[in-house]
Amino acid sequence: MIKIDHEKCNSCGICGHVCPRHITEVVERNNEKVTVISTDRIDLCMGCGHCAAVCPDGAIQVEGLDSKEFKPVGELEITENQLLTMMEQRRSIRRYKNKPVPRELLNRIIDAAHRAPTGTSSRSTGIIVIDNPEILKNLSDLIYKLYESLEKALGNPIARFIVKKRAGKKKLGTLERFVMPGMRWYIRWYRENRSNEILRDCPVLMLFHSPVAEPMGETNCAISAFHGIFMAEILKMGTCFNDLIPPACNRVPEIRKLLDLPEDREVYSSLTIGYPKYKFKQVIPRKLAEVRYL
Ligand SMILES: Cc1cc2nc3c(=O)[nH]c(=O)nc-3n(C[C@H](O)[C@H](O)[C@H](O)COP(=O)(O)O)c2cc1C
């Protein structure tokens, strides 16, 4: 998986020092320092490419990473003030202009999503982009159908018991106390053709999916989505993270089919994306619940 070009390598040892598993190491052979690959640990390689990226001599090749595609690391032009201002001004956008988003801009959002750190270093996160209004409408109808049937089920003690068994006590509590009270209105407004409070008439929906077996799949999807959110912000687009859409994508067979979602995968994050209809004028104060140094 890793190859060292000993003609180029100066045995500085940085590659092994940055490697989480110390897969490369510098040893003494015939009174000379030489970088070797640990035969005990090579199977632990996650293919993260840190060794190749940090090597000052370009002496390391990692399988699957083409060094011709490497780019030199440059000085960052973005300042901490610019970054914080962007984060302060970002708000979840729930009303969009009826204006399509060019795919080249969507691809920039995807470029950012690719850059997210990933647990287990697996590159297993997938993205489905839906920018076809007809598909968005079909998807929307199917999602509302699911929530309508869930509303009915929660009103019936036996069906509620089955939902509790499947979802668990915590999720059922979230559904009953947080999701469904608003959802009852959403369903009514959708049926009355007043508004779509789930997909929010977004021109684009981005779904982040991962293998069910991926231990960090949910977190990977969320972090990728948040990388995308910040790129969208720079591109003057608005986004809203949406937790109502993924469960429907996973549970409704017609939606799985519509998305062509492989059986071993689930959608864990979703973003509605588009040009904001309204501009926020003020940055409001915001604090986490607690920050402590120990
Ligand atoms: C994990 C997560 C799930 C969310 N789910 C929804 C959602 O289903 N619908 C929605 O309108 N907003 C959703 N949001 C957006 C939050 O409501 C929003 O981030 C929060 O109110 C703070 O507002 P801001 O994003 O404008 O700063 C979600 C955000 C996160 C991080």
Side-chain angles (χ1 to χ4, degrees):
M1 208 168 190
I2 299 174
K3 276 192 199 150
I4 299 170
D5 182 340
H6 290 283
E7 296 285 302
K8 292 182 182 167
C9 175
N10 72 9
S11 293
C12 64
I14 301 173
C15 51
H17 211 193
V18 299
C19 173
R21 269 106 191 245
H22 294 244
I23 284 163
T24 55
E25 56 190 345
V26 179
V27 294
E28 290 241 348
R29 265 190 205 155
N30 305 327
N31 285 336
E32 257 186 53
K33 283 185 172 179
V34 54
T35 308
V36 296
I37 293 166
S38 159
T39 47
D40 290 336
R41 292 188 296 278
I42 182 61
D43 291 342
L44 304 179
C45 177
M46 302 186 294
C48 68
H50 276 217
C51 54
V54 82
C55 178
D57 306 308
I60 300 185
Q61 268 186 14
V62 178
E63 194 183 308
L65 298 178
D66 183 352
S67 57
K68 285 192 220 85
E69 290 179 21
F70 287 13
K71 289 187 287 192
V73 171
E75 282 299 313
L76 279 186
E77 283 168 28
I78 182 166
T79 66
E80 85 255 28
N81 263 341
Q82 288 169 337
L83 181 65
L84 195 58
T85 303
M86 186 263 281
M87 289 172 166
E88 282 174 343
Q89 294 186 4
R90 180 215 59 80
R91 299 309 313 262
S92 292
I93 297 301
R94 299 190 175 92
R95 305 288 164 226
Y96 299 98
K97 283 184 185 162
N98 184 12
K99 179 179 165 185
V101 180
R103 284 199 172 175
E104 59 265 31
L105 297 189
L106 293 174
N107 286 338
R108 296 301 280 162
I109 294 174
I110 294 166
D111 285 342
H114 282 308
R115 292 286 156 188
T118 48
T120 71
S121 200
S122 87
R123 316 305 302 167
S124 58
T125 306
I127 296 177
I128 298 169
V129 186
I130 310 170
D131 59 355
N132 176 321
E134 214 173 293
I135 299 176
L136 285 169
K137 170 78 176 92
N138 288 346
L139 180 64
S140 192
D141 287 344
L142 290 165
I143 294 173
Y144 276 96
K145 243 168 95 181
L146 170 76
Y147 282 105
E148 268 173 339
S149 60
L150 190 59
E151 191 191 3
K152 278 193 200 123
L154 293 175
N156 172 313
I158 298 168
R160 183 181 176 277
F161 179 76
I162 297 168
V163 174
K164 186 177 171 186
K165 272 226 119 181
R166 275 199 202 147
K169 205 171 157 192
K170 188 176 172 188
K171 269 197 183 151
L172 180 72
T174 310
L175 270 176
E176 290 190 321
R177 281 192 292 277
F178 185 71
V179 177
M180 295 316 285
M183 184 56 74
R184 288 189 186 105
W185 290 100
Y186 293 1
I187 293 168
R188 188 164 144 191
W189 292 330
Y190 192 67
R191 293 300 166 221
E192 289 170 357
N193 259 332
R194 277 168 64 172
S195 69
N196 183 346
E197 300 297 325
I198 300 181
L199 269 89
R200 303 185 192 279
D201 301 318
C202 63
V204 183
L205 178 69
M206 215 174 256
L207 303 172
F208 296 76
H209 57 92
S210 170
V212 179
E214 166 59 56
M216 312 280 177
E218 282 193 53
T219 312
N220 288 346
C221 287
I223 298 175
S224 265
F226 270 89
H227 273 58
I229 284 174
F230 291 131
M231 177 58 89
E233 205 62 25
I234 296 286
L235 296 170
K236 306 206 182 316
M237 271 179 272
T239 57
C240 190
F241 203 89
N242 192 303
D243 251 6
L244 300 171
I245 297 168
C249 297
N250 300 329
R251 255 160 245 155
V252 180
E254 290 108 301
I255 300 184
R256 290 195 76 98
K257 195 164 167 227
L258 183 73
L259 302 174
D260 199 11
L261 187 65
E263 247 177 63
D264 62 337
R265 286 182 165 261
E266 287 201 341
V267 173
Y268 294 120
S269 297
S270 77
L271 289 183
T272 53
I273 302 177
Y275 292 101
K277 190 164 183 177
Y278 307 107
K279 221 174 150 109
F280 287 94
K281 305 288 193 300
Q282 306 289 333
V283 172
I284 58 161
R286 186 92 166 261
K287 288 254 159 75
L288 295 175
E290 188 194 54
V291 178
R292 284 200 276 155
Y293 288 95
L294 288 180

